[in-house]
Amino acid sequence: MKQHLIELSENQSRQYLDAEALLRASIQAKREALEVRGSMIWREMRGVRYLIRTSATGAQKTIGVDSPEMQAIYARFMERKQATETRVKTLSLRLTEQRKLNRVYRLGRTPNVVVRILQEFERAGIADQFLTVGTHALYAYESACGVMVGTEALATRDIDLLFDTRKSVAFLSAMKQLDTSLIGVLRKADRTFHVRRDQLQTAINDEGFEVDLIRRDASYGDPHPLRMTPDEGDLWAVQVSSGEKMLSSAKFEQMVVATSGDMAMMHTLHPLAFVSVKTRLANSPDREPLKRGKDLLQAQIVSYLWDDFLRLRYPEPGMDSSKLRL
């Protein structure tokens, strides 16, 4: 399998690690900033001064009557809000520099549209409700190993996103708060995305790139059939028999870099779970012959990456991570 891999140079690896550290810090800062969205104001009503919490949408909630305790709450909130906003702005500027360096060092491998989708999912607060499964997961594994996988294993014009139906309530809450739909989120990544009329689980853009939305078989009270939001033009998630197995497997998260230099965190399957899924597909008599060969190649490559690069750094499913050698 070594013939299918090219190792990054020392400078490329250093740049990747620097960019990843900044991206993780930026994501954390933005999540903290979400906790202090809106503001706090003082308002006098009938001669009594109240502390009011205002949301980003303009909704208001009374916290309490003016007192030393309310004054302290106000001061802490405003101090935290200013600190997080400053941190987000500073990290955003540094990430702009990292994008340029990513291009200089030619780190970008992941299709631009894929990274934009992952970025929009993060902005919408739904990134952890979807798993990237299938071919595009290889970008996460190769990034973690500091290598580049041969293009013959990566050729594809679609991305499979597995929706975690156990998180349906959180997903719908996020969509309601943003007053949008899943296809609406995808259109922020590429405004030409639209739902295929003949395949309601698929969104396609003007360049022919497709997003396929899948889910586990309906069980445990899962909604079925499942249109992602009440929006009549939204995507529907289609059931796949391997969905439950993938959702119950260990997970893997890694930064991927687009050819533009943009970055995003990809949530996907643990490498060993990926190998298991792809091996089963390769041995399935119902699988298209042309896809079976590619499934087997991908399983072999990820198995090699696990054995030679990842085994000592990441826990195997069910393993106590304190037993790993560093």
Side-chain angles (χ1 to χ4, degrees):
M1 284 299 105
K2 203 167 186 178
Q3 70 271 23
H4 294 283
L5 307 175
I6 300 174
E7 292 196 33
L8 299 183
S9 69
E10 184 177 342
N11 287 336
Q12 285 177 312
S13 295
R14 186 182 303 114
Q15 168 56 26
Y16 177 88
L17 292 173
D18 289 345
E20 182 186 31
L22 272 176
L23 179 63
R24 289 184 181 275
S26 177
I27 289 174
Q28 181 60 35
K30 289 176 180 177
R31 289 177 179 175
E32 292 174 0
L34 288 176
E35 298 175 4
V36 287
R37 284 182 299 180
S39 188
M40 283 190 177
I41 59 174
W42 296 100
R43 176 173 296 163
E44 188 169 316
M45 293 180 285
R46 298 179 181 178
V48 180
R49 193 168 184 244
Y50 293 92
L51 179 60
I52 308 292
R53 176 77 157 90
T54 63
S55 72
T57 59
Q60 298 186 352
K61 179 182 179 181
T62 301
I63 304 299
V65 178
D66 190 1
S67 67
E69 180 185 2
M70 291 298 106
Q71 293 282 351
I73 290 175
Y74 175 81
R76 285 196 301 269
F77 177 88
M78 299 306 291
E79 181 180 0
R80 184 183 176 197
K81 182 176 178 64
Q82 182 177 3
T84 56
E85 289 178 348
T86 299
R87 181 167 170 76
V88 167
K89 185 179 296 185
T90 300
L91 288 170
S92 294
L93 291 173
R94 293 185 65 189
L95 279 176
T96 298
E97 298 172 359
Q98 293 301 318
R99 292 187 192 98
K100 295 176 182 177
L101 289 172
N102 288 341
R103 293 196 297 270
V104 169
Y105 286 103
R106 298 184 179 180
L107 280 180
R109 293 267 293 165
T110 312
N112 291 332
V113 65
V114 171
V115 171
R116 290 198 301 269
I117 289 170
L118 297 178
Q119 289 175 334
E120 292 303 331
F121 277 24
E122 178 63 41
R123 291 190 184 101
I126 59 174
D128 65 347
Q129 294 157 25
F130 294 84
L131 290 176
T132 299
V133 296
T135 298
H136 283 89
L138 268 73
Y139 290 110
Y141 306 140
E142 69 168 19
S143 296
C145 298
V147 302
M148 295 182 179
V149 174
T151 55
E152 69 275 15
L154 292 167
T156 185
R157 292 292 297 165
D158 67 286
I159 183 173
D160 296 323
L161 296 177
L162 174 64
F163 176 59
D164 189 345
T165 50
R166 299 169 300 184
K167 300 179 180 179
S168 293
V169 173
F171 171 79
L172 288 172
S173 176
M175 294 296 95
K176 183 177 181 180
Q177 186 172 17
L178 295 171
D179 191 24
T180 190
S181 58
L182 184 59
I183 189 63
V185 174
L186 290 175
R187 283 175 180 153
K188 289 184 178 180
D190 184 324
R191 61 185 178 83
T192 69
F193 269 121
H194 60 276
V195 179
R196 287 185 55 166
R197 293 298 94 190
D198 59 334
Q199 294 178 204
L200 297 180
Q201 76 276 15
T202 301
I204 185 170
N205 68 6
D206 283 358
E207 295 182 351
F209 187 87
E210 295 184 340
V211 177
D212 291 323
L213 189 61
I214 60 177
R215 56 172 290 190
R216 70 181 180 182
D217 285 331
S219 58
Y220 309 108
D222 287 348
H224 181 70
L226 177 59
R227 184 172 62 198
M228 295 305 294
T229 67
D231 187 325
E232 292 184 0
D234 207 2
L235 287 155
W236 294 72
V238 65
Q239 298 178 98
V240 294
S241 58
S242 58
E244 177 63 33
K245 183 177 179 61
M246 289 190 287
L247 284 179
S248 61
S249 72
K251 307 303 185 294
F252 192 83
E253 180 187 86
Q254 191 68 36
M255 183 184 82
V256 292
V257 183
T259 54
S260 65
D262 277 340
M263 300 156 279
M265 299 305 298
M266 179 179 285
H267 299 260
T268 186
L269 305 175
H270 188 284
L272 291 181
F274 179 91
V275 171
S276 175
V277 169
K278 285 294 181 176
T279 300
R280 187 169 63 256
L281 284 173
N283 293 324
S284 172
D286 297 328
R287 188 70 162 166
E288 296 175 33
L290 291 178
K291 292 183 177 181
R292 289 169 66 182
K294 186 177 177 182
D295 291 331
L296 182 58
L297 175 61
Q298 291 178 347
Q300 292 171 338
I301 288 174
V302 176
S303 181
Y304 177 83
L305 292 178
W306 172 259
D307 288 336
D308 278 46
F309 295 92
L310 300 173
R311 183 186 295 275
L312 300 182
R313 293 167 49 197
Y314 296 90
E316 293 187 31
M319 176 185 289
D320 181 351
S321 59
S322 64
K323 297 179 181 178
L324 292 177
R325 289 184 289 164
L326 302 178

